Amino acid sequence: MQKDTIAAIATGMSQAGIGIIRISGPEAISAADRLYRSKCGKKRLAESASHTIHYGYIYDGGQLLDEVLVSVMKGPHSYTGEDTVEINCHGGILVVKRILEAVLKTEVRPADPGEFTKRAFLNGRLDLSQAEAVIDVINSRNDFALKSSVSQLKGSLSGKIREVREKLLYQIAFIESALDDPEHISLDGYPEQLLDTINPLALQLSELLKSYDNGHILSDGIKTVILGKPNAGKSSLLNILAGRERAIVTDIAGTTRDILEEQIILDGIGISLVDTAGIRKTEDAVEKIGVSRAKDQAKDADLIIYVVDSSVPLDENDLEIIELIQNRKSIVLLNKSDLETYVSVEELQDRTDKKVISVSARENTGIEALTEAIKEMFYSGDVSINEELYITNERHKIALQNAYKSLELVKSSIEGGLPEDFFSIDLMDAYEQLGVILGESVEEDLVNEIFSKFCMGK
Ligand SMILES: Nc1nc2c(ncn2[C@@H]2O[C@H](COP(=O)(O)OP(=O)(O)OP(=O)(O)O)[C@@H](O)[C@H]2O)c(=O)[nH]1
Ligand SMILES: [Mg+2]
């Protein structure tokens, strides 16, 4: 249990019907009692039952701040596992701030981002993967992301990981006991049995790992970066895909300088679309930075859309971009097909093996073909979301990969006829790696880093 008591505004800092100030820790109830006065002026929160809600007023010294409802949840049956009070006041930016200030005048300190959930984790209310799911629920941008994070919050991933770990632990314990007591426990024929146990476990891990590509794309959207030389029509493309005039479009080459990001849903597929500055050699200092940002964005893109201006011949900038996308998932759009063209699909097809689609961002043609091509690339035409468990977190993916590798090592030790104590070392590694997902034996720094990504008051 943590010793100090923390508080933060748990709701968004904008005007709303209700705002909530959350207090957690051993002094939560007494701190709230110092500010709270019930309607009749007599009732004290400290004397109330857990999970009850109370109507009254909050005062800062002699000054009445607001009319409130205060909920009291006593540890360990609260989100953090500690005594928790939530003051529900009117949702004005000033009033929630003033109430928080009043709370902080008592023996309560401001909470760090994610500190309530961190306490829930440290007090064993949630495992680490569930705590991560909390922030994923908050950050969800589409139905898939929400569904998948709520299911992980409920423990779908933890449950599966625990199941695999139990089976591994049983085998480790068996080997250790047999080695300790060879007279009573025989290891004859054991390696084959072990192989029969770990093969399906390794398969389960590899299925989970396979789900990551789709899982991460379904929840975060396909990170798609639009590249092309100046004036090719990149921003025009962003605008028609976004369905609004998001980016400035002019006939001046070099209009877009900075990165512009827009979340869109294209026929059910979430796409995180990035418009960039046109790529060209330039002496303009600002444009230069834009060009280098464009290239940086392209580095970690899931998909690059290369927009070609078909109304002018290909030039050295195009050749540079063709080189850049060579080993990347990309689609080439031959834009301005409504004008007289200098570049043909065939010419591009000679220079690159990427799919080339003729479009017009001005006349809104060719967009269905682009959508189909993206679907085919990422989902083999299938975007339906099933009930399967998806891995959406890279940290989990890495731990699963490590656990899988350790099981592969066990398999090769069995096949190589090595002694049993070799099996248990790698089985133990796999067990520990899976524990990393749940937050067992993880370094404090990592825990701090994970929770620092949370928002205030959660
Ligand atoms: N005829 C025609 N003109 C287009 C088409 N797409 C874009 N344009 C025009 O081309 C010019 C440049 O378009 P933008 O979308 O600003 O091009 P960009 O690639 O974003 O350019 P930079 O930001 O300078 O790199 C504008 O005048 C657009 O109206 C198209 O399909 N057909
Ligand atoms: Mg532009």
Side-chain angles (χ1 to χ4, degrees):
M1 278 275 188
Q2 307 284 315
K3 287 204 182 58
D4 54 357
T5 299
I6 54 172
I9 296 164
T11 42
M13 283 301 264
S14 59
Q15 287 185 334
I18 291 170
I20 299 178
I21 294 94
R22 185 186 244 179
I23 317 170
S24 177
E27 304 301 328
I29 298 174
S30 62
D33 253 336
R34 296 229 226 132
L35 315 175
Y36 170 78
R37 254 178 255 164
S38 66
K39 188 94 192 291
C40 65
K42 290 192 186 123
K43 213 161 78 183
R44 294 185 54 76
L45 299 171
E47 286 147 18
S48 55
S50 182
H51 292 75
T52 51
I53 191 153
H54 307 271
Y55 173 66
Y57 302 95
I58 291 291
Y59 284 84
D60 181 5
Q63 191 193 349
L64 172 63
L65 291 183
D66 198 10
E67 180 189 31
V68 294
L69 281 174
V70 179
S71 39
V72 175
M73 289 153 286
K74 295 189 179 166
H77 304 292
S78 69
Y79 180 69
T80 55
E82 307 168 336
D83 284 354
T84 301
V85 172
E86 286 179 4
I87 301 173
N88 294 247
C89 60
H90 291 103
I93 296 172
L94 181 65
V95 64
V96 286
K97 268 184 154 170
R98 288 286 289 112
I99 293 178
L100 177 66
E101 277 166 23
V103 171
L104 295 177
K105 285 181 190 167
T106 63
E107 52 286 272
V108 175
R109 71 162 170 84
D112 294 329
E115 199 173 0
F116 293 94
T117 309
K118 184 176 166 187
R119 288 186 171 199
F121 165 64
L122 294 174
N123 293 330
R125 301 283 298 167
L126 297 169
D127 66 45
L128 195 54
S129 76
Q130 288 176 307
E132 287 168 305
V134 170
I135 189 69
D136 291 343
V137 168
I138 294 172
N139 289 339
S140 289
R141 287 196 294 225
N142 60 49
D143 286 346
F144 168 81
L146 181 58
K147 191 171 163 188
S148 155
S149 5
V150 172
S151 136
Q152 293 195 19
L153 175 59
K154 269 178 69 193
S156 58
L157 175 64
S158 323
K160 183 134 191 167
I161 298 295
R162 282 181 214 282
E163 215 178 281
V164 176
R165 286 184 99 213
E166 257 170 47
K167 291 183 179 153
L168 294 176
L169 196 60
Y170 177 84
Q171 301 301 326
I172 297 165
F174 182 80
I175 297 172
E176 296 302 319
S177 343
L179 292 176
D180 278 353
D181 187 7
E183 279 175 32
H184 294 99
I185 308 175
S186 158
L187 283 169
D188 282 351
Y190 174 71
E192 293 71 28
Q193 269 178 36
L194 178 60
L195 206 54
D196 286 347
T197 310
I198 62 171
N199 272 333
L201 297 182
L203 188 69
Q204 283 183 36
L205 299 191
S206 81
E207 296 279 306
L208 279 178
L209 278 167
K210 265 195 250 156
S211 77
Y212 178 76
D213 281 346
N214 274 349
H216 129 85
I217 279 171
L218 283 168
S219 61
D220 301 339
I222 303 169
K223 179 169 176 183
T224 304
V225 174
I226 308 174
L227 289 187
K229 69 183 170 199
N231 244 351
K234 300 179 293 301
S235 302
S236 307
L237 178 72
L238 176 91
N239 288 347
I240 49 165
L241 293 177
R244 65 189 186 111
E245 295 300 307
R246 171 72 171 86
I248 300 172
V249 166
T250 73
D251 56 4
I252 304 162
T255 298
T256 307
R257 298 298 186 92
D258 214 337
I259 302 300
L260 271 182
E261 197 165 346
E262 180 80 3
Q263 306 302 322
I264 62 165
I265 308 267
L266 203 57
D267 206 8
I269 312 174
I271 295 184
S272 168
L273 195 61
V274 182
D275 183 21
T276 61
I279 291 182
R280 68 169 162 187
K281 301 244 165 356
T282 167
E283 290 312 314
D284 182 303
V286 180
E287 203 180 348
K288 246 188 194 162
I289 299 171
V291 171
S292 105
R293 285 193 181 175
K295 291 179 183 170
D296 274 352
Q297 286 290 319
K299 278 186 197 143
D300 65 344
D302 299 311
L303 171 68
I304 296 173
I305 295 180
Y306 163 36
V307 180
V308 181
D309 185 345
S310 68
S311 70
V312 295
L314 291 180
D315 61 19
E316 54 173 18
N317 299 313
D318 290 295
L319 300 185
E320 186 189 349
I321 299 165
I322 290 172
E323 183 71 31
L324 219 96
I325 63 168
Q326 208 175 23
N327 298 315
R328 305 294 308 276
K329 253 189 186 162
S330 31
I331 295 173
V332 182
L333 293 187
L334 196 50
N335 190 33
K336 307 197 186 179
S337 59
D338 53 294
L339 298 178
E340 192 186 336
T341 58
Y342 285 84
V343 190
S344 66
V345 171
E346 292 72 29
E347 182 180 352
L348 274 165
Q349 213 75 82
D350 282 346
R351 293 181 184 272
T352 164
D353 57 358
K354 309 297 175 196
K355 189 171 184 93
V356 182
I357 302 169
S358 182
V359 302
S360 164
R362 173 164 291 173
E363 311 220 310
N364 202 344
T365 59
I367 302 305
E368 294 86 47
L370 169 65
T371 311
E372 282 312 309
I374 296 177
K375 272 190 174 175
E376 211 168 282
M377 251 175 174
F378 287 88
Y379 302 105
S380 326
D382 176 20
V383 268
S384 66
I385 300 163
N386 54 30
E387 292 305 315
E388 206 181 304
L389 174 62
Y390 286 88
I391 298 296
T392 48
N393 181 311
E394 196 179 358
R395 193 184 74 80
H396 302 168
K397 181 185 95 165
I398 294 169
L400 279 169
Q401 271 171 340
N402 291 338
Y404 181 78
K405 275 186 217 147
S406 299
L407 290 188
E408 288 292 302
L409 289 176
V410 180
K411 281 205 237 169
S412 55
S413 303
I414 297 175
E415 279 150 12
L418 294 177
E420 281 78 6
D421 45 352
F422 273 82
F423 310 163
S424 59
I425 295 172
D426 293 320
L427 285 170
M428 198 63 209
D429 276 347
Y431 178 83
E432 280 176 356
Q433 280 302 323
L434 294 176
V436 166
I437 296 177
L438 306 178
E440 285 179 19
S441 67
V442 290
E443 304 281 331
E444 201 186 328
D445 286 359
L446 175 70
V447 172
N448 289 340
E449 191 198 315
I450 289 171
F451 288 103
S452 68
K453 292 185 193 130
F454 273 58
C455 41
M456 252 330 174
K458 192 62 221 177

